[in-house]
Amino acid sequence: MFSINPDDLTQKPIEQAETIPSDWYTDPGFLTIEEKTIFKKNWQLACHQSQIPNPGDSICRTVAGNPIIIVRENSGEIRAFYNVCRHRGGPLHVKCGTTTVLQCKYHGWTYLMDGSLRGVPQFDRVELFDKKDFGLKPVKTALWQGLLFISLNDEIHPFEDVVNGILDRIHPIRLDEMSYHTSTVDRINCNWKVYVDNYLEGYHIPIVHPELSGLLDYKNYITETGEYFSLQYSPFSSSSADNPYKAENGRAFYYFIYPNIMLNILPGRLQTNIIEPDGHDKCRVIFDFFYADPEKAEDDGTIAGDLEYSAKIQQEDIEICEAVQTGLKSDVYDKGRFSVKRELGVWHFQSLLKKNLLDFQS
Ligand code: FES
Ligand SMILES: [Fe+2]
């Protein structure tokens, strides 16, 4: 069992703070603690409404080892359940040819969209069995701007607290008007927090992404923090032909929503990233791309450009993140310090981590 040194949970201002210790990134036992204290305790992004547009559409996710199914029912409402049959734990799917019944893929028990158990084949001599006691376990949901968030914690803070202020900041961009286009998934050999830390600062841009650096007005790169999110924003220095965002007047918002969600927002475009731990030293980064007008974006080359550009930046980030994981595992590194000017987002993220862990300990 991993034991946390209480000194490592001390909160200090960024000017005095140390980074979190290396064994939080490298010890398998720490991930077990994170599943309980972080992933089960906070809101998680499940999908955008445009990924399940029709009644009967469904999508599956995993949160802290728990399989979740998200379904759209006939009324248009979206619901989420643990994707675990109450018979012997099998997975469910929307029964072929229906829009209203979930069926277990193992022995065929069926459930209605409110989670109640309906069909139990060949179960007639079973005693003391009441179907009412065997409904699917629901998962708490919040729909915001077309994005569906879920939480395994019934006592969680209100979702509004998480995104408070974002809409005013991105106005007039509306995320609920975007439509899903495509996804990519990267498996990376680093702890999930290495990838998150890296996303949260522009400090590495001149070294790791020299090409991107040339497009940004790095002097005016800013980071703002809210209670549960941070925002990075940089005006573009160039409107030249090689700037992939030239048409957008330089407005781009890079939001991080604690603990593992990224919303990259441009006028007419949204890219969401979810960073899922895959063991203690690997993670999965799921990129979903959305456009206000996918057909137009397809025709004018915006989508091809976005995919190509994002893949290039991602490759540069993957290489540095995997190298950092090796450094964190080495015999000589434990903790570092923050650039006050450039690493506010990383400090904010690590402060929230400590707060969650402290709540768990007390
Ligand atoms: S496990 Fe679902 S019907 Fe048996
Ligand atoms: Fe980067």
Side-chain angles (χ1 to χ4, degrees):
M1 170 87 182
F2 188 92
S3 104
I4 295 176
N5 178 348
D7 289 347
D8 292 337
L9 298 176
T10 312
Q11 300 279 7
K12 289 193 179 151
I14 187 168
E15 294 81 0
Q16 296 163 16
E18 290 179 305
T19 59
I20 55 178
S22 58
D23 55 1
W24 290 19
Y25 296 89
T26 59
D27 193 302
F30 192 73
L31 180 62
T32 311
I33 297 176
E34 287 177 321
E35 287 189 338
K36 280 199 206 99
T37 56
I38 295 164
F39 291 97
K40 288 187 191 171
K41 292 287 179 201
N42 287 285
W43 290 98
Q44 294 283 291
L45 175 60
C47 64
H48 187 274
Q49 61 190 10
S50 63
Q51 288 172 284
I52 44 171
N54 303 309
D57 287 349
S58 66
I59 199 163
C60 292
R61 296 286 185 219
T62 305
V63 177
N66 288 277
I68 310 291
I69 186 164
I70 297 122
V71 288
R72 188 186 284 271
E73 56 173 322
N74 278 347
S75 67
E77 202 177 319
I78 298 174
R79 291 177 186 262
F81 299 100
Y82 285 83
N83 193 8
V84 180
C85 175
R86 297 294 303 279
H87 174 221
R88 277 174 42 216
L92 306 149
H93 68 143
V94 177
K95 189 177 177 188
C96 299
T98 80
T99 53
T100 52
V101 177
L102 289 166
Q103 182 172 44
C104 179
K105 290 181 180 176
Y106 200 0
H107 314 98
W109 281 25
T110 54
Y111 300 83
L112 297 180
M113 288 293 187
D114 62 1
S116 58
L117 178 59
R118 189 188 70 166
V120 186
Q122 303 175 61
F123 234 58
D124 39 350
R125 279 164 49 218
V126 181
E127 297 175 7
L128 300 176
F129 175 73
D130 186 341
K131 286 202 282 188
K132 280 206 286 304
D133 299 332
F134 287 83
L136 292 177
K137 288 271 186 224
V139 172
K140 206 174 166 77
T141 60
L143 189 64
W144 172 78
Q145 285 283 298
L147 292 166
L148 185 82
F149 289 80
I150 56 178
S151 173
L152 306 190
N153 172 12
D154 288 333
E155 310 295 307
I156 194 165
H157 44 271
F159 180 74
E160 298 69 48
D161 293 355
V162 176
V163 290
N164 191 12
I166 296 183
L167 281 188
D168 292 343
R169 192 76 167 80
I170 65 172
H171 180 83
I173 301 173
R174 291 188 53 134
L175 307 183
D176 54 352
E177 289 175 352
M178 311 274 182
S179 297
Y180 172 68
H181 184 268
T182 195
S183 301
T184 63
V185 180
D186 288 308
R187 288 188 163 72
I188 307 179
N189 292 315
C190 69
N191 180 270
W192 69 279
K193 298 187 294 301
V194 171
Y195 189 91
V196 170
D197 288 342
N198 177 69
Y199 176 88
L200 286 170
E201 44 90 356
Y203 197 20
H204 71 275
I205 291 176
I207 312 280
V208 176
H209 311 296
E211 209 178 296
L212 170 64
S213 180
L215 303 176
L216 297 177
D217 178 7
Y218 189 61
K219 267 204 241 59
N220 290 310
Y221 191 106
I222 54 159
T223 304
E224 294 170 8
T225 57
E227 188 177 0
Y228 291 99
F229 67 77
S230 58
L231 164 66
Q232 294 171 84
Y233 171 84
S234 173
F236 291 107
S237 62
S238 147
S239 56
S240 66
D242 56 350
N243 181 341
Y245 303 122
K246 59 187 181 298
E248 313 298 353
N249 307 322
R251 296 189 65 218
F253 303 94
Y254 297 93
Y255 275 100
F256 168 73
I257 296 182
Y258 180 78
N260 64 334
I261 302 156
M262 293 147 191
L263 308 179
N264 304 326
I265 302 168
L266 287 96
R269 286 185 261 177
L270 165 68
Q271 188 191 92
T272 63
N273 306 347
I274 302 172
I275 319 306
E276 288 182 353
D278 182 13
H280 67 288
D281 58 358
K282 293 187 178 46
C283 64
R284 245 186 325 270
V285 178
I286 303 162
F287 278 75
D288 292 328
F289 293 81
F290 305 85
Y291 296 88
D293 186 346
E295 225 167 277
K296 180 172 167 289
E298 188 97 61
D299 289 350
D300 67 15
T302 302
I303 293 178
D306 277 2
L307 289 172
E308 190 191 336
Y309 202 70
S310 150
K312 179 178 165 17
I313 300 290
Q314 174 74 338
Q315 194 48 41
E316 293 168 348
D317 282 324
I318 289 174
E319 284 168 24
I320 195 66
C321 285
E322 293 188 341
V324 165
Q325 182 72 23
T326 305
L328 292 170
K329 237 180 357 199
S330 72
D331 295 338
V332 294
Y333 184 87
D334 185 27
K335 293 175 208 164
R337 298 291 302 271
F338 295 104
S339 159
V340 176
K341 188 175 164 69
R342 296 287 182 193
E343 291 178 291
L344 179 66
V346 187
W347 170 82
H348 175 259
F349 165 59
Q350 297 193 359
S351 300
L352 284 170
L353 277 177
K354 289 181 184 182
K355 183 173 176 302
N356 265 183
L357 292 162
L358 195 62
D359 290 349
F360 173 70
Q361 304 248 305
S362 51

